[in-house]
Amino acid sequence: MINIQKKIRLDQYTTFKIGGPADFFVAITSLADLQEALSWAQKNKQNILFLGGGSNTLISDRGFRGLVIKNEISGIELVRENAKAVWLKAQSGEWWSSLVNHAVLHNYYGAENLFLIPGTVGAAPMQNIGAYGVELKDVFCSLEAVEIRTGKLKKFNKADCDFGYRYSIFKGKLKHKYFIYSVTLKLNKTPKFKLDYGDIQKTLAEKKIINPNAREVVSVIMEIRNSKLPNPSVLPNAGSFFKNSEISLAALKKLQKKFPDVKFFPATKGVKVPAGWLIEQCGFKGKVIGKVGIHEKQALVLVNYGGAKASQVINLADKIMTCVRSKFGLKLECEINYIE
């Protein structure tokens, strides 16, 4: 039997530590709990908001008018293996880094570069999380999702998910229609590390590590992330606030005429211009306005310095986007989910 509570503040459930109260709130630990919560919401004509780890999320100051379902369904199991690979299935309320760490401890390879991305397993396919040259789709096999309208469980293969840059069908055509219940990864039994992105190779060289193992790669990833990104438990934030700008090669050449030192890296179509670089060129890096600001080491991260309101964060984000559009002619897109 689920326990539905009233007027629960949501700031305590997000890494930004921002958000007003929910009309109704329930924590679930099983599929049966979920189906009961969905049935209750339908009978009582309530809107639904799912919360996992609360990262990548900004909730409005007015809170949420409806039922917030906090996902605490956990568990990891080996469901299949052959001579070359294993298939790991994790429940959607499991912490993402716990899944990566589980794989590393059992010598299952492929997800190392995704270590320390905040949030739960269920959030990973929603926006096809990625870091250091690896995306979820590179190790993804399938997922199970519950249709919100009917409560029925459905399986989605990789092709069904329509993965793109920080995108999946669950952010597009199927947005608000499914609850991701479990995710299955296909991982290798032999290592094939991707070390040519960011400072990974450089950091390994500094440590005199020539042939790293998975634990060493994860250790380096953790060191790099901690040196550049603020810990949400110390400085509340939602991770990367903006997506990198994807532009064509023709657009890049045009941009280079005015900004010869523009940073970029290859993308599936054209190139990506780092949003952090664009924001830094606009003079926002390290800037503090009232109780919100841009982190001094990573311009992609907006920070709550204590008691900030969602409206203040949005105002700052608007100023940043306006400046980037005016200076570079590029439109920044928010990566975080803003719940109004």
Side-chain angles (χ1 to χ4, degrees):
M1 186 76 176
I2 57 175
N3 177 29
I4 296 178
Q5 304 173 68
K6 296 181 179 180
K7 300 299 179 185
I8 300 298
R9 288 198 60 84
L10 298 175
D11 51 1
Q12 63 185 311
Y13 293 108
T14 73
T15 59
F16 230 143
K17 300 304 177 190
I18 294 174
D23 287 347
F24 302 97
F25 179 95
V26 64
I28 59 169
T29 59
S30 68
L31 178 59
D33 284 354
L34 170 64
Q35 291 168 330
E36 186 179 348
L38 293 177
S39 177
W40 184 92
Q42 286 184 346
K43 287 177 182 177
N44 291 277
K45 298 180 179 179
Q46 296 294 322
N47 296 319
I48 295 171
L49 171 64
F50 297 111
L51 270 185
S55 62
N56 200 51
T57 302
L58 176 63
I59 297 176
S60 74
D61 303 315
R62 66 187 289 271
F64 183 73
R65 305 284 72 83
L67 173 66
V68 171
I69 300 177
K70 176 72 167 62
N71 183 8
E72 297 179 359
I73 306 173
S74 61
I76 301 171
E77 61 177 320
L78 176 65
V79 292
R80 181 185 166 197
E81 69 177 306
N82 60 28
K84 295 182 178 180
V86 298
W87 284 258
L88 272 188
K89 181 178 181 179
Q91 301 303 314
S92 58
E94 189 74 43
W95 286 102
W96 173 258
S97 284
S98 295
L99 174 57
V100 177
N101 192 53
H102 178 93
V104 170
L105 291 176
H106 288 80
N107 297 315
Y108 305 147
Y109 305 100
E112 301 80 26
N113 292 30
L114 302 177
F115 185 68
L116 221 60
I117 294 178
T120 55
V121 167
M126 285 286 293
Q127 62 166 10
N128 184 29
I129 60 170
Y132 304 104
V134 176
E135 292 182 323
L136 174 78
K137 67 178 178 61
D138 300 325
V139 291
F140 179 88
C141 175
S142 64
L143 64 79
E144 293 175 304
V146 175
E147 187 177 22
I148 295 170
R149 184 177 61 85
T150 64
K152 293 181 178 179
L153 200 62
K154 180 180 177 180
K155 183 176 180 180
F156 291 80
N157 295 317
K158 184 187 291 189
D160 300 326
C161 295
D162 191 26
F163 288 127
Y165 174 54
R166 301 299 173 270
Y167 176 84
S168 75
I169 197 169
F170 302 103
K171 288 187 75 174
K173 188 169 73 172
L174 298 185
K175 188 175 183 179
H176 302 315
K177 293 185 178 181
Y178 282 88
F179 168 90
I180 295 175
Y181 174 65
S182 71
V183 176
T184 300
L185 305 183
K186 181 183 178 182
L187 301 170
N188 299 316
K189 287 188 173 181
T190 54
K192 189 178 180 182
F193 302 125
K194 188 173 181 62
L195 308 175
D196 57 349
Y197 197 99
D199 294 331
I200 300 177
Q201 197 70 262
K202 175 186 172 185
T203 307
L204 287 169
E206 288 172 353
K207 295 178 177 295
K208 296 181 171 55
I209 300 174
I210 299 173
N211 295 307
N213 57 39
R215 296 188 189 191
E216 289 170 330
V217 172
V218 162
S219 178
V220 163
I221 294 291
M222 183 166 62
E223 182 178 320
I224 295 170
R225 288 187 70 93
N226 286 335
S227 70
K228 295 182 177 181
L229 298 170
N231 186 333
S233 63
V234 179
L235 278 178
N237 68 87
S240 297
F241 202 92
F242 300 100
K243 297 179 183 179
N244 293 323
S245 293
E246 290 187 291
I247 62 175
S248 66
L249 290 173
L252 174 65
K253 289 180 180 178
K254 187 176 179 180
L255 194 62
Q256 285 174 321
K257 289 180 181 179
K258 192 173 181 180
F259 303 98
D261 59 342
V262 61
K263 305 293 184 184
F264 65 92
F265 52 93
T268 305
K269 296 180 181 179
V271 298
K272 291 178 185 176
V273 178
W277 183 85
L278 295 170
I279 296 167
E280 189 173 348
Q281 299 308 302
C282 285
F284 280 99
K285 189 175 182 181
K287 193 171 185 177
V288 179
I289 302 176
K291 295 178 179 180
V292 298
I294 297 86
H295 193 250
E296 60 184 3
K297 292 183 179 179
Q298 177 50 269
L300 270 181
V301 179
L302 274 60
V303 176
N304 172 9
Y305 284 104
K309 301 290 186 182
S311 57
Q312 295 172 315
V313 176
I314 294 300
N315 286 339
L316 177 55
D318 285 342
K319 288 179 180 179
I320 292 170
M321 289 188 287
T322 298
C323 181
V324 169
R325 188 184 303 113
S326 175
K327 187 178 181 72
F328 297 99
L330 298 177
K331 181 182 178 181
L332 280 185
E333 290 186 34
C334 290
E335 185 172 324
I336 64 112
N337 297 308
Y338 180 44
I339 311 299
E340 298 186 72

